[in-house]
Amino acid sequence: MSKERLRVLVAVVATLAVVSTLGWFWQQSRMPSTYSVMDMGYLDQGHGAAMSMAHRAQHSGGRSVASLTAHTDRPADEVVDLVARKGTVRLASGRTVDGYTVNGTSPGPTIQVREGQLLEVRLKNADVPEGITLHWHGVDVPNAEDGVAGVTQDAVTQGHTYVYRFVADRAGTYWYHSHQVSHEQVVGGLLGALVVTPRAPAVAGTIDRVALMHTYDSVATVDGRPLTRVRAAPGQPVRIRVINTDNGPVRVWATAPYRVLAVDGHDVNRPTDVDGRGAVLTAGGRLDLGVVAPADGSGVRVQVGPTAAVVVGPADVEVTAPEPPPSSRDVDLLAYGSPAPLGFDPSHPDRTFRYAVGRRPGFVKGRPGLFWTINGHLWPNVPMFVVHEGDVVRMRISNSSGDVHPMHLHGHHAVVLARDGVKATGSPWWFDSLNVQDGESYEVAFVADNPGIWMDHCHNLKHAAQGLVAHLMYDDVTEPYRVGGDTGNEPE
Ligand code: C2O
Ligand code: CU
């Protein structure tokens, strides 16, 4: 063989090797056209749970996700009808954008119920071709009510109605949003606020207001306006329930001292005044802020990011936007407020997991790119975290991916034990949405007390659509729904 031919042969063989390797990775990255999330990736039993496989129900046995309802016989205390549409959205500011509406507006109506009441929501899909669902972000509902297409129900198709029923058993600030093609539908405004008021009435004279933050077509708004007003008499206290429905974190700060009264629907124990400092609100998360209208009849301006704001005070009071305080002084929830009992002991967990977010090149859903990894694996080869009902679970959530990730576990609230090895010393920091910055690692714990199959994903919904999604599964639960293909279910 001539030298020339040998060179060509070597080149051909090398190219074939590269192409077939890439082809293999490409093939590995694809899922069958429809699949059950139970068959995705690999089971991760966690550390300390070697025995549990023996107990694991097979796909045929166990409890179906669809059966995990509650109070089916109890009449509803509150019935809400919601109708979702796709098309032009007229915001409260008068601007129109392309997106989705709920009962004609975006954000949709604020649902308000009292703690302990049974809420029934009848969701109608008027004309959204891709189908819709509603997820009750931050409410630990029974699994069958969780609203994740292909995991806890089928997407609601055009002309159909779906009924959600659950007891709102914890007072706090929550929100609802579609969990079907959510990286488009949530961004497009298929969402609204849900407020559960406490059984005991709040202090008389306190004004209670929702401030739902959403960016429409690159304009940041609070309740559909760049600037919203809360009319308050001098000296009157106001609770502002700030909800971040965007894909990234937002900083809040104000012209007067404020308190962080609650985080993700959990009251802070003994909140102190925050003065001249900001606070970070993660994507999907909520902060209830307490401010007092100044006694001299002026106003307080609460910035929700650099351009959107809430002004509290007499009707037309003007308050110029305050300079953002240095972020190095932001409220650290690890040390804010005072300690209180957790109600469980996280020091001897039944299972310990890690959820390490990284990034590397590869193929996801048949496409090449630079993708997020979970414990070193690309979607769909991600862990299925398996728990047994009643387990005390610890998880180390870490991030070395070069970007921030708002991590959200459905169906449970977890408590932060430590960040980067520094123990929590403030009020118990319960969360459902956690801002995990690049280089950070959080030690968190929760009790597995809500059986089902639960998403555990990044709430930057673009990242979720790129595969930053895992699930938490109880060992005796089975999955009747499927994702993809003819089912039309596309939760991300
Ligand atoms: Cu707002 Cu899967 O969540
Ligand atoms: Cu992310």
Side-chain angles (χ1 to χ4, degrees):
M1 202 186 301
S2 77
K3 253 188 175 168
E4 188 52 35
R5 291 184 64 181
L6 185 64
R7 218 177 281 142
V8 170
L9 187 66
V10 167
V12 167
V13 169
T15 308
L16 277 177
V18 169
V19 167
S20 60
T21 307
L22 286 175
W24 184 82
F25 279 115
W26 174 76
Q27 187 60 35
Q28 290 298 303
S29 82
R30 301 173 69 223
M31 288 295 283
S33 70
T34 82
Y35 60 93
S36 159
V37 294
M38 278 182 86
D39 300 329
M40 242 172 87
Y42 61 95
L43 296 177
D44 181 346
Q45 304 282 342
H47 180 73
M51 285 310 291
S52 69
M53 266 317 274
H55 301 291
R56 191 175 163 242
Q58 288 311 310
H59 288 215
S60 51
R63 299 180 275 181
S64 163
V65 163
S67 72
L68 296 169
T69 55
H71 305 288
T72 44
D73 301 331
R74 188 176 145 186
D77 299 297
E78 203 65 58
V79 178
V80 177
D81 283 289
L82 298 180
V83 181
R85 293 181 185 280
K86 183 174 187 173
T88 304
V89 183
R90 175 172 293 274
L91 305 178
S93 63
R95 258 184 91 236
T96 54
V97 293
D98 283 343
Y100 301 83
T101 57
V102 183
N103 292 5
T105 62
S106 180
T110 293
I111 299 176
Q112 188 165 324
V113 286
R114 223 183 43 250
E115 191 178 0
Q117 284 189 320
L118 193 145
L119 172 63
E120 178 173 314
V121 176
R122 303 193 289 221
L123 171 68
K124 179 168 184 185
N125 178 355
D127 65 0
V128 183
E130 301 78 22
I132 57 170
T133 66
L134 285 183
H135 167 61
W136 312 95
H137 187 118
V139 186
D140 300 331
V141 298
N143 194 224
E145 312 295 340
D146 199 42
V148 181
V151 180
T152 66
Q153 67 173 94
D154 286 321
V156 186
T157 51
Q158 285 185 75
H160 289 90
T161 297
Y162 189 90
V163 179
Y164 296 95
R165 298 179 105 246
F166 56 88
V167 173
D169 50 13
R170 173 172 280 278
T173 309
Y174 308 98
W175 60 296
Y176 60 86
H177 64 77
S178 181
H179 224 307
Q180 162 75 349
V181 204
S182 45
H183 73 285
E184 276 174 33
Q185 297 190 358
V186 179
V187 171
L190 211 170
L191 53 87
L194 168 62
V195 173
V196 182
T197 55
R199 272 198 191 84
V203 191
T206 299
I207 297 177
D208 195 311
R209 269 289 292 274
V210 162
L212 184 148
M213 197 266 171
H214 192 74
T215 300
Y216 294 91
D217 212 4
S218 74
V219 178
T221 65
V222 182
D223 296 334
R225 302 180 159 84
L227 187 145
T228 192
R229 292 180 173 278
V230 181
R231 237 168 126 164
Q236 198 167 21
V238 181
R239 184 184 192 108
I240 306 174
R241 300 169 182 269
V242 188
I243 306 172
N244 180 1
T245 66
D246 277 344
N247 276 338
V250 69
R251 279 181 81 217
V252 296
W253 66 93
T255 54
Y258 63 92
R259 289 181 178 187
V260 179
L261 302 177
V263 178
D264 286 3
H266 281 250
D267 284 345
V268 170
N269 184 41
R270 297 157 154 261
T272 50
D273 279 347
V274 176
D275 198 358
R277 295 158 68 196
V280 173
L281 175 52
T282 194
R286 289 85 59 213
L287 290 179
D288 292 13
L289 305 181
V291 299
V292 179
D296 64 4
S298 63
V300 179
R301 183 175 173 122
V302 178
Q303 285 297 132
V304 183
T307 59
V310 182
V311 170
V312 176
D316 293 319
V317 70
E318 294 290 340
V319 188
T320 45
E323 283 296 313
S327 57
S328 57
R329 300 188 56 225
D330 281 350
V331 174
D332 186 356
L333 295 175
L334 205 60
Y336 183 69
S338 301
L342 296 179
F344 77 106
D345 179 8
S347 62
H348 297 96
D350 299 296
R351 304 199 189 218
T352 306
F353 296 102
R354 63 192 186 98
Y355 195 135
V357 181
R359 195 174 201 191
R360 70 172 162 84
F363 289 88
V364 164
K365 303 181 188 180
R367 264 180 251 136
L370 193 54
F371 291 107
W372 314 113
T373 55
I374 303 175
N375 297 348
H377 300 282
L378 289 170
W379 191 98
N381 189 30
V382 292
M384 170 64 90
F385 302 112
V386 183
V387 295
H388 189 67
E389 189 170 356
D391 280 350
V392 169
V393 181
R394 275 174 77 143
M395 192 179 262
R396 177 186 292 264
I397 309 173
S398 62
N399 178 0
S400 59
S401 71
D403 201 350
V404 60
H405 300 289
M407 300 310 296
H408 173 52
L409 168 63
H410 287 209
H412 303 75
H413 278 78
V415 68
V416 173
L417 303 176
R419 184 186 56 226
D420 300 336
V422 179
K423 285 205 169 65
T425 54
S427 167
W429 176 5
W430 291 96
F431 70 93
D432 54 64
S433 309
L434 185 66
N435 208 55
V436 186
Q437 302 205 58
D438 185 38
E440 281 184 341
S441 107
Y442 279 88
E443 190 74 33
V444 309
F446 63 92
V447 179
D449 58 2
N450 197 5
I453 296 182
W454 303 98
M455 268 193 148
D456 189 354
H457 66 101
C458 177
H459 218 281
N460 182 327
L461 300 168
K462 286 198 191 100
H463 295 177
Q466 292 161 353
L468 191 30
V469 175
H471 294 82
L472 174 78
M473 175 178 100
Y474 284 64
D475 55 7
D476 63 342
V477 172
T478 64
E479 176 62 271
Y481 303 107
R482 297 179 79 77
V483 179
D486 292 343
T487 67
N489 294 323
E490 291 297 341
E492 290 90 30

